[in-house]
Amino acid sequence: MPRQERPVEAGDPVLVDFAEALRELRRQAGSPTYRQLSTRAHYSIAALSDAAAGRRLPTLTVTLAYVRACGGDARAWEQRWRQADAELGRPVAQEDTTVPYRGLFAFHEGDAEVFFGRDRAVGEIRTRLSERHFVGVFGASGAGKTSVLRAGVAARWPGPVAVLAPGANPVEECAIHVAELVGRSTVEVHEQLRADPANLALLLAPTTGLLLLVDQFEELFTLCDNAEERTWFIEALVAVAGRAHVLLGVRADFYGHCAEHEPLVEALRDGQVLLGRLTTEELHQAIVGPATARGHRLESELVTRLVADAAGRAGVLPMLSHALFETWQRRRGITLGLEGYTAAGGIDHAIARTAEAVYSELDEHGQNIAKATCTRLVALGDGDDTKRRVPHDEWDHDPTTTAVLHTLAAARLITIDHDGVEPAHEALITHWPRLRAWLAEDRDTLRVHRHLVDATRVWQDLDHDPTALYRGTLLTRARELVTTHPTLVTSTQRDFLGAAHTASKSTRRRRGLSAFALVALVAVLAAVGLYAVRTSRDNERRVTEAVIGQAMAQARLLRSTNPSLAGQVALAAYRLLPNPDLRGGLFDVVSSFNRANESGSLNDTNQALFHPGGRYLYTASRGALKVHDSNGTPTPRFSHVVPNLAPISRMAIDRTGQTLAVKAVQGPVHLLDVTDPSRPQVVATVPSTDSAAPYFSPVEPILVLAQSSTTTITFQPVFNRTIRVLDVRDPAHPVERARVATEEDVVGFDHDGDLVTLSPESGVHLWDFTDPARPYRQSSSPDTRHVPYAMFSPTAPIAVSIDTGAAVVSGGTDGSTRLWDTTDPLRPRAAGDIPGLVAMALSPDNRFIAVANRDTVQVWDIGDRDNPVEYAVHNASNFTFGTVSFTADSKALAILTNNNSGLLWPADISTAASWVCQRALHPITLADWSRYFPNIDFADPCAQQGHP
């Protein structure tokens, strides 16, 4: 069974009610797994499960993604979220609206009435926008770009305004904001945007008079480490400029980064505004205007001092604004005086004095938490460091951490909003000496921790996949942080390290089993100097294998946000180390390209049956018979539900692909004409017991119904089994030729058209239906009675054979799978076996067998049935033994579990490689290669297939 969701934790009733409501919404949607929700919502499993845990209020964007993934009403849930947010009364939301100064915070649209001093710049930008549709505003850090763009330009824009920042995932950010603007599903919008950057313009086209304001555009280079997403974002914005106005806010020191992208250079040609320093008059307006607008006054001596301290200085506005905010805090009545300004520390020291005052009021543990908090909010650069947003799910929520965050926020040093935590301004980094010292002394440690943060998120998003765990040196260095910097490592990261340490010990124990055998060999090799060489090579090999394994784990994570890059990384990893685990990893990544998987159309499916023609797939989903059409592609889409059928449980299709038999859950067997596979039509109904199962002969037009019933004799249940033989050469008029009582279980037809039955007491039996009205039964020899059951290919219209004979697959009592050569069905020969796994399906071409246990579905190559070879592995946590069936061409399989999830999984390397390279928007870059495969020579994975 799948892991049960933990009960909502007792706590604030508002949080508990909100979490319970989310869980109820998920139940109403059919209880999809969080892995399925993650695929639909484009948020991590951890973020979505945490949203319904009841520990804290999730962000609005996560909430709406959860709701849309469950098919809920986004508008109603947004209102519900805002009500919960108001009832919780977050401390950071309770701002005094009479404060005239923003401190380190930027002015936004709602602050326009207290925004002064930038009329000249705002006018220039508006003029440029009236002439061009693409404008970039460049300015130094601290020049007030965000305030100008939002409180100046956006507040006065006559039409709709959409504001976003690129963040680490520009495509996702666009999808969230565009979906909200156009009133569509985030998942749908994300898919359209991911397919083509030009689709951003198409989605926004109906919104007339739109201003798309991209603030902090430099995040595209500081936070987004995906070159393909950077290119996508730039191409999308350039395309939008043909239908709407695009306004960028860019830090001036990233001008060179912009110049590296030719489409951006062309778009910004004659469309640039340089935001310079304020003039003396503008400084006077910026200082006096806000206070006057809110009914306050400044002493003339203070105004003179402020203008003198700020005039001619670059990047001074955040310090000026913070000094004014601190001076306002020390006002007397409605008057701000020079004495208060001096006490605050003036422009040069106000930030440091505020930060030090907050820090000194904390106890020793609180100070350690504050250090860890502030250093985590900085993105380390080769030159200047920049601020970094840390999402809520990366924080511990113990009382001390929460208190420190709220204390820093109350002092306006950091901001806490619905998406995460970040410094109020980068001026905090440059003007607080203690923070600069922390960053200088712990730089290497912080990089190790940042890598740990990313690795932990990958592990969470892959549902604790053991292949994503640290090993070797990475694990050793990261575990040292727990001792040397305990406040830096969160509880989730400790869980990750604990799991990695446990897995590492398990690996060492396995290696230790052969230690005694190695001792003598080591002694001999060491004597001739070979041991050291081989050990070095082994170490290099293990490091390379670890790097490739980590690259595959990263590819799994990337598949929902950047399938183009994910596919190329996965294909490269497999080609570097072609083993079953990495082949399966490649297939896992490629499966995300499949629209049937993206849409969840195979969820809640208890049987999948592929038409022999290859194009159509029939599924029994929630009792309904559904038709899926691949239309010549490997990605079948749901087409329609076959009408006028009661809920069904089982299906079978005849050898010609013209007749489909479906068994109602309670009721008869229906025969459907599928001469036109796209439009199954019921042509006959055969009464049967509820337990009947249909089997078509691969040789003759015969349908067997194996049914059972229970009667009670002297208070004891007696099971009655019956084999019914129907002639279906005219499916519209089936004729029952024989009805035979038996004590045996029906397995299916063998390659000669004989029905195989089994009995624990009497062994294997063959029923010959050459004359359907007089079935002839043959029995096996006593030495074959140990075979508990047999399996035959469910899709091939011929006997399931391998080379010179047929093969049946039996699940041994020890949970293993054995192949039997049934050239003579009554005297089978034992062939190869696959220990520890149970057979699920044979491929129509008889080359592969799918086997499973609780943790994996594996595909084995049985071309040599005496020596099966592991081919590919799909990690399927809590598989719970559903069903597996191959496509007609044996190049993919449908994996259906008993926990309502379904997946169409590729099983052919050439097909998978073709899918990857056809979907590759751009070849993998050398920079991306170095990120995922450090110290491994570059090799374009699509060089053989070619790029589109």
Side-chain angles (χ1 to χ4, degrees):
M1 293 295 293
R3 289 191 294 269
Q4 295 297 313
E5 191 168 21
R6 294 178 180 176
V8 175
E9 299 178 7
D12 192 308
V14 175
L15 295 178
V16 171
D17 290 347
F18 194 83
E20 290 287 9
L22 282 176
R23 293 187 179 200
E24 177 58 29
L25 177 66
R26 178 169 164 247
R27 283 190 286 270
Q28 292 174 1
S31 298
T33 66
Y34 278 109
R35 183 182 294 276
Q36 294 163 356
L37 284 185
S38 177
T39 301
R40 301 175 194 175
H42 299 290
Y43 272 85
S44 70
I45 294 171
L48 294 171
S49 61
D50 188 62
R55 290 187 291 269
R56 54 188 172 273
L57 187 67
T59 67
L60 178 58
T61 52
V62 169
T63 299
L64 294 182
Y66 188 112
V67 169
R68 289 182 175 118
C70 293
D73 186 335
R75 294 179 184 273
W77 272 92
E78 180 173 355
Q79 183 178 357
R80 185 172 194 158
W81 182 92
R82 295 192 185 283
Q83 181 179 352
D85 186 51
E87 291 178 11
L88 288 171
R90 295 186 174 188
V92 295
Q94 298 174 354
E95 292 189 8
D96 187 344
T97 57
T98 66
V99 180
Y101 302 105
R102 295 285 293 160
L104 290 177
F105 297 168
F107 289 85
H108 287 180
E109 291 84 341
D111 306 309
E113 65 176 18
V114 291
F115 179 64
F116 289 86
R118 281 297 194 183
D119 287 346
R120 179 167 54 95
V122 171
E124 182 181 357
I125 296 169
R126 296 186 68 188
T127 298
R128 196 62 61 92
L129 284 170
S130 68
E131 301 167 346
R132 301 180 54 83
H133 278 243
F134 201 103
V135 175
V137 177
F138 293 82
S141 177
K145 296 182 297 299
T146 297
S147 298
V148 168
L149 297 179
R150 301 195 63 173
V153 179
R156 305 179 195 180
W157 188 256
V161 179
V163 181
L164 62 90
N169 302 291
V171 182
E172 183 176 311
E173 291 294 328
C174 281
I176 293 170
H177 289 84
V178 170
E180 185 174 355
L181 182 67
V182 302
R184 292 173 62 179
S185 161
T186 302
V187 178
E188 179 187 357
V189 170
H190 189 277
E191 170 61 21
Q192 287 187 255
L193 295 181
R194 194 174 64 181
D196 190 341
N199 285 340
L200 179 61
L202 297 177
L203 287 165
L204 295 177
T207 309
T208 58
L210 173 68
L211 173 64
L212 180 59
L213 197 166
V214 183
D215 192 18
Q216 301 179 57
F217 186 75
E218 64 274 5
E219 288 183 356
L220 193 64
F221 310 107
T222 61
L223 299 183
C224 177
D225 60 0
N226 187 315
E228 283 196 14
E229 283 215 34
R230 286 197 292 269
T231 300
W232 180 95
F233 191 60
I234 291 170
E235 291 178 355
L237 293 180
V238 171
V240 168
R243 299 173 182 266
H245 288 81
V246 177
L247 179 60
L248 310 182
V250 193
R251 237 176 62 182
D253 51 329
F254 284 88
Y255 190 87
H257 292 74
C258 297
E260 294 175 0
H261 297 269
E262 187 60 30
L264 192 58
V265 172
E266 288 302 316
L268 287 171
R269 197 177 301 279
D270 300 324
Q272 303 170 34
V273 176
L274 182 61
L275 196 61
R277 304 168 186 170
L278 296 179
T279 65
T280 301
E281 177 59 30
E282 289 171 334
L283 273 174
H284 189 280
Q285 295 171 6
I287 293 167
V288 176
T292 303
R294 291 285 164 83
H296 298 280
R297 58 178 297 272
L298 281 76
E299 293 178 349
S300 58
E301 295 86 349
L302 173 61
V303 176
T304 301
R305 174 70 178 275
L306 284 166
V307 171
D309 286 351
R313 296 176 61 177
V316 75
L317 294 183
M319 290 88 78
L320 173 63
S321 184
H322 185 74
L324 281 165
F325 171 73
E326 290 294 329
T327 304
W328 181 85
Q329 299 275 45
R330 295 165 173 80
R331 69 194 182 282
R332 294 184 177 179
I334 63 170
T335 303
L336 284 69
L338 183 59
E339 182 180 350
Y341 173 72
T342 303
I347 285 178
D348 292 315
H349 305 293
I351 294 175
R353 188 164 295 183
T354 300
E356 285 296 324
V358 170
Y359 180 77
S360 63
E361 290 175 359
L362 301 171
D363 59 21
E364 182 178 358
H365 183 53
Q367 289 180 349
N368 290 332
I369 295 291
K371 176 181 178 181
T373 297
C374 292
T375 52
R376 289 175 63 192
L377 293 173
V378 179
L380 302 178
D382 295 330
D384 292 338
D385 296 331
T386 56
K387 67 178 184 176
R388 172 177 177 263
R389 174 179 291 272
V390 178
H392 290 295
D393 59 5
E394 281 188 25
W395 296 97
D396 277 337
H397 295 275
D398 59 283
T400 304
T401 301
T402 301
V404 169
L405 287 172
H406 286 160
T407 299
L408 294 171
R412 298 198 174 197
L413 298 174
I414 66 173
T415 61
I416 305 175
D417 59 21
H418 306 311
D419 296 322
V421 183
E422 66 179 343
H425 196 277
E426 287 171 353
L428 178 67
I429 303 171
T430 56
H431 286 79
W432 187 15
R434 186 184 296 275
L435 177 55
R436 293 204 307 273
W438 287 338
L439 295 172
E441 72 187 27
D442 279 344
R443 214 161 184 81
D444 290 339
T445 297
L446 293 174
R447 287 197 170 99
V448 171
H449 179 257
R450 200 60 44 80
H451 194 284
L452 173 62
V453 170
D454 295 339
T456 301
R457 183 169 289 280
V458 170
W459 179 63
Q460 286 181 298
D461 289 349
L462 294 178
D463 200 16
H464 299 177
D465 189 330
T467 62
L469 292 170
Y470 270 174
R471 295 172 177 82
T473 304
L474 286 176
L475 176 58
T476 301
R477 292 190 65 186
R479 291 190 71 220
E480 290 173 355
L481 293 179
V482 178
T483 303
T484 59
H485 295 75
T487 56
L488 197 60
V489 184
T490 67
S491 58
T492 305
Q493 292 154 16
R494 290 172 189 267
D495 291 343
F496 169 79
L497 294 174
H501 183 56
T502 300
S504 176
K505 289 194 297 184
S506 176
T507 301
R508 287 198 299 271
R509 282 197 299 270
R510 289 195 299 270
R511 290 173 180 168
L513 293 175
S514 58
F516 291 109
L518 287 173
V519 169
L521 178 61
V522 169
V524 174
L525 293 179
V528 294
L530 294 178
Y531 175 69
V533 173
R534 292 186 179 179
T535 300
S536 175
R537 289 175 179 172
D538 285 346
N539 288 339
E540 290 179 4
R541 176 178 54 79
R542 290 192 185 101
V543 169
T544 300
E545 289 176 356
V547 168
I548 295 171
Q550 189 71 17
M552 183 62 78
Q554 293 281 354
R556 291 175 189 268
L557 180 63
L558 279 170
R559 57 186 167 178
S560 64
T561 57
N562 191 343
S564 172
L565 180 60
Q568 292 180 80
V569 171
L571 180 58
Y574 165 72
R575 286 184 167 157
L576 289 168
L577 190 64
N579 63 36
D581 285 323
L582 292 180
R583 187 182 287 113
L586 171 61
F587 293 161
D588 282 343
V589 171
V590 172
S591 69
S592 67
F593 301 165
N594 194 309
R595 295 186 185 277
N597 299 335
E598 292 171 345
S599 64
S601 61
L602 294 185
N603 295 341
D604 303 309
T605 297
N606 59 292
Q607 188 179 1
L609 186 64
F610 292 93
H611 188 275
R615 174 171 171 175
Y616 293 95
L617 164 66
Y618 306 121
T619 62
S621 305
R622 293 188 179 180
L625 176 60
K626 296 182 178 180
V627 180
H628 307 256
D629 183 2
S630 63
N631 194 23
T633 73
T635 58
R637 292 187 179 185
F638 167 69
S639 174
H640 63 280
V641 173
V642 177
N644 304 319
L645 283 178
I648 63 174
S649 59
R650 301 192 64 174
M651 298 184 292
I653 196 165
D654 79 331
R655 61 192 174 92
T656 65
Q658 296 181 353
T659 305
L660 177 68
V662 298
K663 172 66 182 71
V665 174
Q666 294 180 329
V669 172
H670 300 286
L671 298 182
L672 291 86
D673 182 352
V674 288
T675 305
D676 177 0
S678 67
R679 295 291 170 187
Q681 300 291 329
V682 177
V683 293
T685 299
V686 180
S688 67
T689 65
D690 291 345
S691 61
Y695 300 89
F696 278 106
S697 166
V699 176
E700 302 290 342
I702 290 174
L703 172 67
V704 164
L705 297 182
Q707 59 188 41
S708 62
S709 59
T710 304
T711 59
T712 302
I713 301 177
T714 62
F715 305 105
Q716 295 295 323
V718 176
F719 296 96
N720 305 303
R721 296 180 176 88
T722 304
I723 296 175
R724 298 171 60 192
V725 185
L726 286 81
D727 184 336
V728 290
R729 67 184 75 244
D730 179 3
H733 302 91
V735 178
E736 184 169 321
R737 297 296 188 185
R739 182 181 294 232
V740 182
T742 180
E743 296 180 353
E744 302 143 20
D745 292 321
V746 172
V747 178
F749 283 93
D750 76 354
H751 66 293
D752 286 328
D754 293 330
L755 185 72
V756 180
T757 61
L758 289 175
S759 168
E761 291 78 24
S762 57
V764 178
H765 305 277
L766 299 182
W767 295 80
D768 185 337
F769 295 126
T770 303
D771 181 354
R774 297 176 178 83
Y776 172 69
R777 178 174 176 266
Q778 293 177 283
S779 299
S780 62
S781 58
D783 61 354
T784 63
R785 294 179 185 176
H786 66 284
V787 181
Y789 65 87
M791 178 183 295
F792 301 85
S793 173
T795 55
I798 60 174
V800 179
S801 64
I802 298 178
D803 297 331
T804 59
V808 293
V809 184
S810 67
T813 56
D814 59 352
S816 65
T817 289
R818 178 174 292 279
L819 301 176
W820 299 82
D821 184 333
T822 59
T823 304
D824 180 351
L826 294 179
R827 294 173 179 81
R829 179 185 68 83
D833 70 316
I834 304 172
L837 297 133
V838 175
M840 304 298 293
L842 282 166
S843 64
D845 64 3
N846 303 308
R847 180 189 169 187
F848 296 112
I849 183 171
V851 293
N853 60 19
R854 186 175 177 82
D855 299 314
T856 63
V857 174
Q858 298 182 12
V859 176
W860 287 64
D861 188 332
I862 55 174
D864 178 356
R865 63 179 177 273
D866 289 324
N867 300 286
V869 178
E870 188 179 27
Y871 176 72
V873 179
H874 169 61
N875 289 306
S877 179
N878 293 309
F879 177 69
T880 66
F881 295 102
T883 64
V884 173
S885 54
F886 282 88
T887 56
D889 60 6
S890 303
K891 292 184 177 181
L893 61 158
I895 300 173
L896 309 175
T897 73
N898 287 344
N899 57 3
N900 300 321
S901 63
L903 175 73
L904 192 61
W905 201 65
D908 176 73
I909 282 295
S910 61
T911 302
S914 177
W915 289 8
V916 166
C917 297
Q918 288 174 9
R919 285 288 189 109
L921 300 177
H922 306 283
I924 187 171
T925 65
L926 183 58
D928 283 331
W929 180 275
S930 300
R931 180 180 304 110
Y932 298 107
F933 302 102
N935 301 318
I936 296 177
D937 291 341
F938 176 80
D940 184 349
C942 289
Q944 298 175 17
Q945 271 78 20
H947 291 275

